[in-house]
Amino acid sequence: MTTTSEPTELSEPALSVRQVLTLERVLAGEPEVVAGAGQLDRPVRWVHVAEAPDVGVMLTGGEMVLTTGVLLAGDEDKQAEYIRSLHRAEASAVVLGLGRAFPAPPEVMRRAAERCGLPMVVLHRPFPFAELTEEVQCRLVRRKFAAVSLSESVRTALTALITSGAPLQSLLDEVASHSACPVVVTNLAHRVLATAGERSAVDDVLRDWERIARQAWGHHPGRSGTGGGGEGDGWIRAELGGRGERWGQIMLCGHRGDTATGRLLADRAAEALVLHRMLGGNSAHTWEEQCAQSLLTDLVSGVVPARQLLPRARAAGLPVNRRTFVPLVVRDVEPDQLDRVLRMVGLSGLVAELADGAVAVLLSLARDQDALVLTANFAARVHSEAARTVVAAADPRTAWDDVPTGLREAQHVADAADSSAALDLPAVVRLRDVHLRGLIRLLRDDPHVQSFAERELDGLLCSADDDMLPVLRTYLATGRNKSRTAQLHHVSRPALYRRLEAIQTRLGVDLDDFEQAASVHIALLAHDAQQS
């Protein structure tokens, strides 16, 4: 697992020893690996032809050294020291051309290379070293140019998105298109804040996220890790932070290109995300809100099956195994306030603002906890924070697949409860508390209901007197209590009687008749539901 604490300069592109040995020109020399076969994935940064016994002092690391060994023949001490000096200089491999000096692989050099873990290759056929040098150097230059080109292409694309005000998801989608693998952003607690990439591949990563996170971050920063996937397997991450503060990580999960390209993409992405946060005034907490909002919105919409969203919920830090879920929708309160209440009462859950301004809350409780009592405690604390708010809840769910239906039910209850201030509502409003108003809210888009409302209220809807509908609404909501209606509208009782007579005349109904009054009341509820 590659880890970087801050964006780095462009990584030096390299070929591996294994890749060099597969080049057509090298194969013509009939190469044979006689030592260090387990280290063939070492990067080759350069190719150097050297015969001097003290060649190590001329190297800077990463070189593949080519030699005929002509100055080493007959002196086993020099042969062993030659290999040790290459090892100290961190050479990537040594290639020995067999011939007059060494007709067969020298055993002393082979043993020394094996002890050092230095790949040693012999060429059984005469081979012009200049051809190998030219081939490798040309390929390295081309890779260097390609790396610079990719770096600038990625940086330009991400900068354009940032300056255009694009959201975080657009940046990650761009990174995923270049890396061709899942991209995951986490906070310091390793909770997933955002993802990008092919949906099925992302789901595979999130499904096993607890193990991946535990193994990937269980290593000392700056060192390569294994377990969840080592650097050679394309699991590459870069830290997110600035001004001495770390606040997250970005990970490429299973990048199939070479490691240097993966590091480059991770670093360019990290740079862009830090810039996005600075310019947009965003914070890691805001990204957590975006994560919760995306998840809860998908649950409410039902577009994505709940089972497919389970890995995202688990990776976002929501406990999901053997839990009881309580779907809530709260009106007239800020998400930050609800987050604070969750922490105060010590409950696990997700909070996100929905499209209509309501705030969804999904509580996750242990099976042995009393869901009704804890929900009531949560609602009581919410009301202490915002007295005029509405806390709507669906019945607790023990199956994750039932959560979307519960969220939609809570949303429906909140809509119905919010449509009239005259309702005397409990601290936690449920479906049974919204009665007829709730049913009408469900049927408000039905053409028959719409026609019924227009037909029943036609005499008032075309009236120029704007006060008639409010008076009628209050009169019916108070159970046809004339004294209370007059008091609420600040008029005398005789004035109210005249207003009610005018309303009855326009509608052609007798409001003292229960059935006619009920019909008008239902039509008015339907009209209000359609208007909202």
Side-chain angles (χ1 to χ4, degrees):
M1 183 75 58
T2 298
T3 309
T4 55
S5 58
E6 58 185 22
T8 60
E9 294 300 318
L10 183 62
S11 301
E12 187 74 20
L15 295 167
S16 68
V17 175
R18 192 185 309 277
Q19 289 173 317
V20 171
L21 296 181
T22 60
L23 297 179
E24 187 175 346
R25 290 186 180 182
V26 179
L27 292 175
E30 297 182 8
E32 178 189 1
V33 180
V34 297
Q39 301 293 324
L40 296 183
D41 290 320
R42 282 184 170 186
V44 177
R45 188 181 57 81
W46 210 243
V47 177
H48 190 70
V49 180
E51 300 290 354
D54 57 349
V55 64
V57 299
M58 297 181 283
L59 306 179
T60 59
E63 295 90 350
M64 174 179 278
V65 177
L66 311 180
T67 183
T68 62
V70 66
L71 299 181
L72 303 175
D75 191 330
E76 292 186 348
D77 290 339
K78 284 186 177 180
Q79 294 170 22
E81 178 57 28
Y82 182 82
I83 295 296
R84 288 194 292 268
S85 69
L86 293 180
H87 172 65
R88 288 193 297 269
E90 298 183 348
S92 59
V94 58
V95 178
L96 175 65
L98 299 182
R100 187 178 307 169
F102 292 103
E107 186 62 21
V108 172
M109 294 180 68
R110 190 198 68 76
R111 287 200 303 268
E114 194 66 55
R115 283 194 298 269
C116 294
L118 176 71
M120 179 176 175
V121 181
V122 297
L123 301 174
H124 289 277
R125 294 177 61 86
F127 184 87
F129 284 167
E131 291 187 12
L132 174 58
T133 303
E134 178 185 13
E135 176 79 9
V136 174
Q137 314 303 44
C138 286
R139 286 177 178 265
L140 289 176
V141 169
R142 287 197 296 269
R143 289 165 71 88
K144 177 72 173 181
F145 176 78
V148 172
S149 177
L150 175 63
S151 178
E152 290 307 308
S153 174
V154 172
R155 179 181 279 124
T156 299
L158 294 178
T159 301
L161 288 172
I162 293 171
T163 55
S164 68
L168 170 66
Q169 189 61 52
S170 296
L171 272 68
L172 296 182
D173 289 340
E174 184 71 22
V175 175
S177 70
H178 284 283
S179 64
C181 69
V183 177
V184 176
V185 174
T186 75
N187 61 14
L188 292 181
H190 317 314
R191 293 185 177 181
V192 175
L193 304 181
T195 62
E198 184 181 347
R199 190 72 262 163
S200 61
V202 171
D203 287 345
D204 287 341
V205 170
L206 296 185
R207 195 170 291 112
D208 203 25
W209 183 252
E210 290 183 5
R211 181 185 66 83
I212 290 173
R214 183 171 58 253
Q215 295 179 339
W217 279 275
H219 301 276
H220 190 280
R223 295 181 182 176
S224 294
T226 53
E231 177 180 292
D233 296 323
W235 295 79
I236 301 171
R237 69 184 175 102
E239 303 290 348
L240 302 176
R243 299 175 181 173
E245 178 188 9
R246 291 170 52 247
W247 38 267
Q249 301 94 9
I250 181 169
M251 177 185 286
L252 307 186
C253 304
H255 176 61
R256 295 306 177 193
D258 62 85
T259 302
T261 300
R263 283 199 297 266
L264 180 152
L265 288 170
D267 288 342
R268 292 300 86 88
E271 290 175 356
L273 295 190
V274 171
L275 182 60
H276 180 269
R277 177 190 178 189
M278 292 174 61
L279 293 182
N282 293 324
S283 66
H285 181 64
T286 300
W287 287 3
E288 291 177 350
E289 288 179 349
Q290 292 176 5
C291 173
Q293 184 177 42
S294 173
L295 176 60
L296 292 181
T297 300
D298 285 346
L299 281 169
V300 170
S301 69
V303 174
V304 182
R307 190 165 298 277
Q308 293 184 21
L309 297 172
L310 187 59
R312 282 172 57 187
R314 182 183 291 111
L318 183 73
V320 295
N321 295 332
R322 297 187 58 78
R323 305 289 288 187
T324 297
F325 303 100
V326 181
L328 302 167
V329 171
V330 186
R331 289 280 186 183
D332 301 320
V333 68
E334 294 298 322
D336 285 348
Q337 291 176 283
L338 296 180
D339 267 326
R340 185 167 60 252
V341 170
L342 273 182
R343 292 192 296 271
M344 290 170 62
V345 298
L347 296 179
S348 297
L350 294 178
V351 176
E353 186 171 5
L354 300 177
D356 61 354
V359 181
V361 181
L362 181 59
L363 300 180
S364 174
L365 310 175
R367 289 283 176 89
D368 59 354
Q369 292 180 298
D370 191 323
L372 297 181
V373 170
L374 291 178
T375 302
N377 292 342
F378 174 78
R381 187 60 66 99
V382 171
H383 286 299
S384 70
E385 292 273 323
R388 296 178 59 84
T389 191
V390 172
V391 180
D395 291 334
R397 264 71 173 163
T398 56
W400 175 257
D401 287 346
D402 294 336
V403 168
T405 303
L407 283 168
R408 288 192 289 272
E409 179 183 314
Q411 189 175 32
H412 161 66
V413 172
D415 288 345
D418 190 54
S419 63
S420 175
L423 288 174
D424 185 15
L425 299 173
V428 181
V429 187
R430 301 186 185 277
L431 193 59
R432 61 179 175 270
D433 300 314
V434 293
H435 307 295
L436 177 62
R437 188 179 303 274
L439 176 63
I440 296 300
R441 296 284 299 190
L442 284 177
L443 300 176
R444 62 182 174 181
D445 294 328
D446 188 297
H448 297 293
V449 174
Q450 294 173 357
S451 297
F452 169 76
E454 292 179 8
R455 185 170 62 251
E456 290 290 303
L457 301 175
D458 182 60
L460 294 185
L461 295 179
C462 60
S463 173
D465 190 341
D466 294 335
D467 193 41
M468 284 193 173
L469 272 179
V471 168
L472 176 62
R473 184 179 293 110
T474 303
Y475 179 61
L476 295 174
T478 58
R480 295 183 294 176
N481 186 319
K482 295 177 181 177
S483 296
R484 179 61 175 158
T485 302
Q487 181 182 14
L488 290 174
H489 284 270
H490 307 290
V491 297
S492 65
R493 286 175 63 93
L496 177 67
Y497 294 158
R498 289 193 296 272
R499 182 59 54 88
L500 290 176
E501 288 176 2
I503 291 173
Q504 293 180 96
T505 299
R506 286 185 175 276
L507 295 180
V509 299
D510 179 4
L511 293 178
D512 290 329
D513 181 274
F514 176 79
E515 184 174 339
Q516 293 184 52
S519 181
V520 172
H521 193 187
I522 292 172
L524 187 57
L525 291 177
H527 170 75
D528 290 344
Q530 292 158 15
Q531 295 303 307
S532 64

